[in-house]
Amino acid sequence: MSREKTKAVLNQSVADLSKAAALVHQVHWYLRGPGFMKLHHKMDELMDGLNSHLDVLSERLITIGGSPVSTLKEFDELSNIELETATWDKTTEERLTEVVKAYKYLSDLFQDGVHATDEEDDDVTNGLFADAKGDIEKTIWMLESELGLAPGL
């Protein structure tokens, strides 16, 4: 089986995880105000998590015969994550809201991966997408809790 849908979602994930990591890194650098000491370190943890998912999904793509995108240009062209030039005028809440938006997109993308791998009978990649989705959903819950939101709002 060629697993073309699976490869496509994996490559989309590579681009989007790369750009999401850049967004979180930007927040890490431009974060200011109450909560800085705690959130600055948390952004390091989030980058590590995104990079871990990136590595696992990229290697899976290679394993099944695909070729992951690997340049900044490719990431920017393929990714659906928004990333603008940083400014100093955003609040911590605005920055965390941008991260939540990116993570919600990743959760939906990984669900697309679950569907594609179901359709193409790729249980291994299915498990990777399901695990990544679970991790991303937990992070959304934590970030939204930091923003004072109840789960699912």
Side-chain angles (χ1 to χ4, degrees):
M1 181 178 277
S2 67
R3 301 184 212 177
E4 292 308 312
K5 289 181 183 178
T6 297
K7 289 177 188 176
V9 178
L10 282 167
N11 233 348
Q12 185 68 53
S13 298
V14 169
D16 287 322
L17 284 163
S18 297
K19 203 142 172 209
L23 171 66
V24 172
H25 209 162
Q26 183 182 76
V27 171
H28 172 82
W29 285 334
Y30 281 81
L31 195 62
R32 298 288 178 268
F36 170 81
M37 297 285 287
K38 172 183 65 172
L39 291 170
H40 185 75
H41 177 69
K42 186 63 178 176
M43 294 303 114
D44 284 329
E45 291 176 19
L46 294 183
M47 283 185 290
D48 289 346
L50 291 169
N51 286 325
S52 178
H53 292 306
L54 172 62
D55 191 54
V56 167
L57 295 177
S58 296
E59 289 174 354
R60 182 62 183 163
L61 178 56
I62 294 166
T63 299
I64 64 171
S67 300
V69 293
S70 60
T71 67
L72 296 175
K73 182 179 179 187
E74 290 170 308
F75 300 153
D76 197 41
E77 289 174 351
L78 186 58
S79 178
N80 293 310
I81 304 266
E82 294 178 29
L83 183 61
E84 299 175 1
T85 301
T87 60
W88 293 105
D89 61 346
K90 289 188 178 180
T91 66
T92 298
E93 182 176 336
E94 289 170 323
R95 294 200 183 284
L96 292 181
T97 299
E98 289 176 347
V99 174
V100 168
K101 180 180 176 185
Y103 272 66
K104 285 182 175 182
Y105 166 76
L106 289 172
S107 178
D108 291 343
L109 176 63
F110 296 158
Q111 186 62 50
D112 291 344
V114 167
H115 292 311
T117 56
D118 275 344
E119 187 177 318
E120 295 181 339
D121 294 321
D122 184 346
D123 293 339
V124 174
T125 310
N126 184 281
L128 297 176
F129 276 125
D131 289 346
K133 182 175 173 56
D135 181 60
I136 292 295
E137 287 178 345
K138 181 179 178 182
T139 302
I140 292 167
W141 161 61
M142 293 179 138
L143 290 170
E144 288 185 331
S145 293
E146 179 67 27
L147 291 168
L149 300 173
L153 295 180

